[in-house]
Amino acid sequence: MKITFLGTGTSQGVPVITCGCIVCASNDHRDKRLRTSVLLETGDKTIVIDSGPDFRYQLLRAQVKDLDAIVYTHEHKDHIAGLDDIRPFNYLLHKNIDIYATDRVQAALKREFSYIFTDAKYFGIPQINMHTVTDENFNIGETTFIPLDIMHYKLPILGYRINDFTYITDAKTISESSIEKIKGTKILVINALQIQEHISHFTFEEAIAFAERIGAETTYFTHISHNLGLQEEVERNLPPNIRLAYDGLVIEV
Ligand SMILES: [Zn+2]
Ligand SMILES: [Zn+2]
């Protein structure tokens, strides 16, 4: 499976509008982070996890030519806002996009994108096929997704294990039962927001402790804020098996 990090930034992205800190002013392309999303090319399907506000530009930048499905972690705006930008796949490729979301996330999509779900459909709206995600494993094409219960402060959200790849964003606490499902993964992606404590996201230290507990061959941090520091400096002080993801990073699992 080929994995492309489409975005690795927290909800405001990096640089932050009006901020003049060294990270926001950095010329290193890796310090420029769009909102968190990842592209999975499984062999028979092209899938993204989350479609935030930068979705359109992310697909153009990564030269994505096909899309079959969007899998959602949760309904916060930085994870869903770009749903409308699936329309070129509807028009040009004549295909509906499969959406995988829990009932609660579906309710949020129906509020935020009510026009997609009305009975009297306006011409040109996004064309989707909705699939309900529960605690059960599900398949997209030949690939199995294992939902992982994650707590984003008080909001239950989902991470996913897909074969030897595990993707978790916006975690603050992770249950023992989810940890059991993650064990043995070769690649772990986990959120690491900043050094300072935060109510709903892992700090840098919490992310390192989690990475060490899981012991994946390589762990990549994502959902990064400008407060974490410069890519170059932060990575220099990390063990070789813990890396900061950056926009455009491609890995194979
Ligand atoms: Zn800044
Ligand atoms: Zn988020």
Side-chain angles (χ1 to χ4, degrees):
M1 181 166 71
K2 180 182 172 190
I3 294 145
T4 305
F5 289 86
L6 297 175
T8 58
T10 189
S11 60
Q12 296 192 62
V14 183
V16 175
I17 296 168
T18 77
C19 185
C21 79
I22 54 163
V23 176
C24 289
S26 167
N27 286 323
D28 186 340
H29 69 93
R30 299 171 303 168
D31 287 318
K32 303 192 185 308
R33 303 182 188 277
L34 300 179
R35 269 60 71 90
T36 296
S37 177
V38 74
L39 176 77
L40 310 176
E41 291 168 87
T42 63
D44 64 337
K45 297 286 181 187
T46 304
I47 303 161
V48 293
I49 303 181
D50 293 334
S51 61
D54 302 310
F55 189 57
R56 172 183 172 275
Y57 178 63
Q58 288 167 322
L59 295 184
L60 289 169
R61 184 172 67 173
Q63 299 184 24
V64 177
K65 302 289 188 218
D66 195 6
L67 185 69
D68 297 295
I70 303 175
V71 180
Y72 285 109
T73 60
H74 66 300
E75 65 272 39
H76 284 163
K77 205 72 163 192
D78 56 322
H79 295 260
I80 66 166
L83 174 59
D84 194 75
D85 289 323
I86 62 168
R87 289 176 297 144
F89 299 106
N90 301 149
Y91 300 156
L92 300 179
L93 301 186
H94 308 289
K95 62 201 280 187
N96 288 13
I97 302 299
D98 289 307
I99 304 292
Y100 293 82
T102 62
D103 282 330
R104 195 196 67 228
V105 172
Q106 289 181 35
L109 294 173
K110 285 172 184 165
R111 282 196 305 275
E112 301 285 333
F113 300 95
S114 59
Y115 57 95
I116 298 178
F117 299 92
T118 54
D119 290 333
K121 291 205 188 310
Y122 184 78
F123 176 76
I125 61 172
Q127 305 291 318
I128 64 171
N129 300 324
M130 187 63 84
H131 304 267
T132 301
V133 175
T134 63
D135 291 341
E136 303 288 321
N137 299 355
F138 61 92
N139 275 30
I140 303 180
E142 293 172 355
T143 303
T144 301
F145 282 64
I146 303 172
L148 306 168
D149 292 322
I150 306 293
M151 291 304 290
H152 183 28
Y153 184 44
K154 291 183 177 172
L155 185 73
I157 67 169
L158 292 178
Y160 294 98
R161 178 163 180 178
I162 305 132
N163 299 318
D164 281 327
F165 175 72
T166 300
Y167 185 80
I168 301 171
T169 178
D170 295 76
K172 186 60 181 178
T173 45
I174 301 176
S175 68
E176 290 301 317
S177 63
S178 289
I179 287 170
E180 284 303 310
K181 293 178 184 173
I182 298 164
K183 278 185 181 165
T185 193
K186 285 196 181 130
I187 301 292
L188 171 66
V189 179
I190 185 73
N191 54 293
L193 184 74
Q194 59 189 25
I195 309 296
Q196 304 89 328
E197 178 57 31
H198 192 278
I199 193 166
S200 61
H201 296 94
F202 269 176
T203 62
F204 187 57
E205 290 302 322
E206 287 168 332
I208 291 171
F210 185 71
E212 287 174 345
R213 175 154 186 212
I214 298 300
E217 281 178 18
T218 310
T219 297
Y220 293 94
F221 290 170
T222 192
H223 212 291
I224 291 167
S225 122
H226 66 154
N227 293 322
L228 187 63
L230 295 164
Q231 170 96 14
E232 177 81 38
E233 285 182 11
V234 175
E235 260 201 339
R236 200 185 306 140
N237 297 315
L238 282 169
N241 64 336
I242 303 181
R243 303 286 85 195
L244 299 192
Y246 56 87
D247 290 25
L249 173 65
V250 176
I251 58 174
E252 289 272 350
V253 185

